[in-house]
Amino acid sequence: MENEKSIGNLKHLLSICNDGKEGYKTAAEDADSAELKTLFSMYSIQRAEYEMQLKKAIHQLGGDPDNDTGGPVGALHRVWMDIKTAFTKNDDKAILNACVTGEESALEAYDKELQDPGISPEIIEILSVQRNGVADCLKNIEALKTQYAS
């Protein structure tokens, strides 16, 4: 029973990583700045790596990471949909604002999953590293947001 809960939690984070990966891919395509294009491409690759790690962890717990039986991701998914819509303007400042919103939501999801007392130390390690990567990304994007505000 505990494995099923952990698998469900990891699948939720897997969906979040996928949304982030796609969001950053779109951001890289639509940003005007070469600096931002490169940065967003790197973040998209990072999220793809996170996806692979989560899929491996789900598989190790006996779950099927490719069989998404859960419901929609909900609010976070809508946030990334809003981000994708913001990219149509090719406005670097708007893109950065949207990325901050997405990263704050992702960070919230990681924090919630890390509070689950039933997760194994190995999964805690994976999630902690990923959470710190999301936090670093958020910090960097917030700094760029200030830079591009002027």
Side-chain angles (χ1 to χ4, degrees):
M1 181 70 176
E2 197 63 43
N3 270 5
E4 288 179 32
K5 182 180 178 191
S6 293
I7 289 168
N9 291 344
L10 292 176
K11 282 186 173 187
H12 176 72
L13 289 176
L14 181 62
S15 294
I16 290 168
C17 285
N18 185 55
D19 287 343
K21 177 185 74 177
E22 293 302 319
Y24 279 121
K25 181 179 175 187
T26 302
E29 293 167 356
D30 292 343
D32 288 329
S33 161
E35 173 189 25
L36 293 180
K37 285 181 179 291
T38 300
L39 182 71
F40 294 148
S41 292
M42 288 184 346
Y43 287 151
S44 180
I45 291 167
Q46 176 193 56
R47 298 309 153 90
E49 291 171 0
Y50 289 177
E51 273 187 284
M52 291 186 324
Q53 293 169 355
L54 291 170
K55 284 182 177 185
K56 182 178 177 184
I58 291 167
H59 183 69
Q60 288 174 341
L61 290 174
D64 182 1
D66 296 322
N67 181 12
D68 185 23
T69 56
V73 177
L76 186 64
H77 181 71
R78 286 189 297 277
V79 167
W80 276 108
M81 290 287 101
D82 292 342
I83 291 169
K84 291 176 184 176
T85 302
F87 296 151
T88 60
K89 301 176 185 176
N90 283 26
D91 177 356
D92 289 342
K93 193 166 96 175
I95 293 170
L96 287 165
N97 284 331
C99 289
V100 166
T101 303
E103 291 298 41
E104 288 173 343
S105 295
L107 204 53
E108 236 177 83
Y110 273 96
D111 287 344
K112 181 180 177 192
E113 300 307 333
L114 282 165
Q115 291 175 7
D116 179 0
I119 58 177
S120 71
E122 296 82 14
I123 292 176
I124 289 173
E125 176 67 24
I126 291 167
L127 298 184
S128 295
V129 169
Q130 290 184 4
R131 186 236 180 257
N132 290 339
V134 171
D136 289 345
C137 176
L138 176 60
K139 184 177 177 182
N140 191 27
I141 289 174
E142 286 175 330
L144 286 167
K145 186 175 136 185
T146 302
Q147 176 186 329
Y148 278 81
S150 47

